[in-house]
Amino acid sequence: MANILVTGGAGFIGGNFLHFWAKHHPDDKLIVLDCLTYAGNKSTIAGVEQAELVIGDIRNGKLVEELLRDRNIGTVVHFAAESHVDRSITGPDAFIDTNILGTNSLLKAAKAVWLDEGSGRPHRFHHISTDEVYGSLGLNDAAFSETHPYQPNSPYSASKASSDHLVRAYHHTFGLEVTTTNCSNNYGAYQYPEKLIPLFLLNALHGRSLPIYGDGMNVRDWLHVEDHCRGIEACLKRGISGETYNIGGGEELPNLTVIERICSEVDKAFGAIDGLADRYPDAPAACGRPTSELKTFVPDRVGHDRRYAVDATKARADLGYKPHHDFDSGLAATLRWYIDNEAWWRNIQTTS
Ligand code: NAD
């Protein structure tokens, strides 16, 4: 039995990780440290019996030290972050505070309890990062490997890059046992509906426009969130301290293709699910029209990276990582989840 501190566990990926970990490791105790920003939601982790929510800030070093010491925690899985690129453009300060200072505060606390107090306890600090730290690829460039230079382009990716460097530095300077995973774009259940897939699914259900940045040809590598959790689990089990691993799905798609697939999944759902037209009468599909009529092109986001693609060869070879979901079935399951869990997204939209 292990005691694991999960920061940001009330958010999208952290919440999915709790569900995943509790299912596969029922004897472990999960202590969730989350300050419940607009992106954090208690109902995301409802039902995970092994999880205990501590409402608090990762920048509170004293609290983190107490948790590590008093709860006998040997593993930190660090998800907590400001995570939305658009918000980092309009308000970068929160990204610097949480992603850089917050990560440093966690690392300092881990060093104090795990190293300076001489507990000799085996430990691991696992840091969750993004492929966006590598910058943008041209259409014919090879996918990002772990040795690709860091070239972050948004305040979000710059703050994540900085946190990755801090994690690396605590390993090299102090000997803290760390691993980092850099993952591609995730989708799945419990994602806050400001991100592309849930935003477009819900807009389609409500007959609202589907705003497509620029020409819609920005390419992203999509990964079902459960496969990200699988990659983190593989890294916690088999990752070598001091190493970084890319996690990706190898499903590169232009945004326009993703949006077209969303439209076609929504059209199919209205044909297949009884009562959907009564629940969402404003959807074009409720009266037999194609959801694609909601597509609207809008001016591009400033500094919009053209293409991300992740080379996950190292994780596959060294960790035995293998994604289980393909995009089409994962997207259909995600749409079904949002249809079946209306209370979850209605609640967060009214409280944020
Ligand atoms: P999210 O925005 O859904 O959740 C972030 C969580 O962190 C929320 O619960 C929030 O309340 C909490 N939090 C924020 N600031 C905090 C603080 N100061 N103290 C304590 N808790 C705080 O984010 P997400 O999409 O789940 O992303 C999780 C991690 O994965 C992030 O580090 C992100 O950079 C990384 N990542 C995300 C993606 C993606 O596609 N979403 C891809 C790769 C990597």
Side-chain angles (χ1 to χ4, degrees):
M1 180 186 142
N3 295 338
I4 302 176
L5 180 68
V6 180
T7 74
F12 163 48
I13 306 174
N16 276 283
F17 177 79
L18 294 174
H19 287 276
F20 177 91
W21 198 267
K23 187 169 153 199
H24 296 278
H25 307 271
D27 294 334
D28 287 353
K29 171 96 185 144
L30 301 161
I31 295 103
V32 181
L33 178 61
D34 198 302
C35 69
L36 301 180
T37 67
Y38 77 95
N41 192 334
K42 278 188 199 173
S43 63
T44 294
I45 55 177
V48 184
E49 282 172 16
Q50 299 93 313
E52 177 196 347
L53 175 63
V54 177
I55 299 175
D57 200 304
I58 55 168
R59 289 166 296 177
N60 183 344
K62 187 166 171 291
L63 170 65
V64 178
E65 281 189 29
E66 278 167 13
L67 290 174
L68 294 178
R69 193 181 294 119
D70 300 348
R71 309 298 183 91
N72 199 25
I73 288 166
T75 304
V76 171
V77 187
H78 174 35
F79 295 92
E82 290 293 335
S83 69
H84 191 43
V85 176
D86 286 2
R87 286 177 189 258
S88 83
I89 294 167
T90 50
D93 292 3
F95 288 72
I96 307 306
D97 284 350
T98 291
N99 300 358
I100 305 179
L101 301 181
T103 300
N104 184 51
S105 162
L106 282 175
L107 289 162
K108 265 199 314 190
K111 171 180 174 289
V113 175
W114 287 340
L115 300 179
D116 300 345
E117 291 176 7
S119 68
R121 183 188 310 164
H123 65 266
R124 172 74 70 84
F125 186 101
H126 183 70
H127 177 56
I128 308 297
S129 192
T130 166
D131 60 352
E132 300 191 28
V133 297
Y134 299 121
S136 183
L137 290 170
L139 282 185
N140 298 317
D141 292 342
F144 300 126
S145 73
E146 289 79 0
T147 55
H148 194 282
Y150 272 34
Q151 292 173 327
N153 288 324
S154 70
Y156 164 66
S157 54
S159 66
K160 292 298 292 185
S162 178
S163 66
D164 293 8
H165 292 321
L166 283 167
V167 171
R168 176 189 159 85
Y170 271 75
H171 174 72
H172 282 267
T173 305
F174 305 115
L176 200 69
E177 305 279 346
V178 305
T179 39
T180 296
T181 41
N182 293 84
C183 188
S184 60
N185 273 35
N186 284 212
Y187 69 95
Y190 301 110
Q191 188 167 30
Y192 191 82
E194 65 184 352
K195 303 277 171 68
L196 192 148
I197 288 182
L199 175 72
F200 278 42
L201 285 175
L202 297 190
N203 279 10
L205 292 178
H206 292 106
R208 295 191 289 253
S209 78
L210 307 178
I212 303 163
Y213 279 136
D215 61 2
M217 294 313 288
N218 298 66
V219 174
R220 299 294 180 262
D221 178 345
W222 290 95
L223 183 72
H224 192 278
V225 65
E226 276 173 21
D227 285 328
H228 187 181
C229 296
R230 220 163 251 124
I232 297 166
E233 181 191 46
C235 189
L236 287 172
K237 280 188 182 162
R238 293 181 284 278
I240 308 281
S241 178
E243 292 290 323
T244 69
Y245 301 89
N246 285 346
I247 308 281
E251 297 232 45
E252 274 189 67
L253 295 169
N255 287 344
L256 204 49
T257 304
V258 172
I259 289 155
E260 278 157 4
R261 297 219 185 143
I262 291 171
C263 291
S264 104
E265 279 307 323
V266 171
D267 291 346
K268 274 197 256 167
F270 274 80
I273 302 173
D274 283 343
L276 210 53
D278 295 331
R279 282 171 63 192
Y280 303 106
D282 296 330
C287 45
R289 297 200 314 274
T291 302
S292 58
E293 72 179 37
L294 298 172
K295 286 193 296 184
T296 315
F297 288 88
V298 298
D300 209 353
R301 171 160 84 197
V302 284
H304 201 175
D305 286 338
R306 195 65 176 165
R307 174 175 166 239
Y308 305 137
V310 160
D311 177 352
T313 305
K314 180 177 172 185
R316 286 176 187 267
D318 296 1
L319 307 178
Y321 161 71
K322 194 164 169 280
H324 289 190
H325 295 271
D326 62 71
F327 185 73
D328 285 340
S329 62
L331 181 68
T334 302
L335 171 61
R336 189 66 208 220
W337 187 87
Y338 278 86
I339 288 171
D340 291 345
N341 290 275
E342 185 172 324
W344 181 85
W345 50 264
R346 285 226 184 271
N347 176 41
I348 62 165
Q349 284 182 322
T350 49
T351 53
S352 63

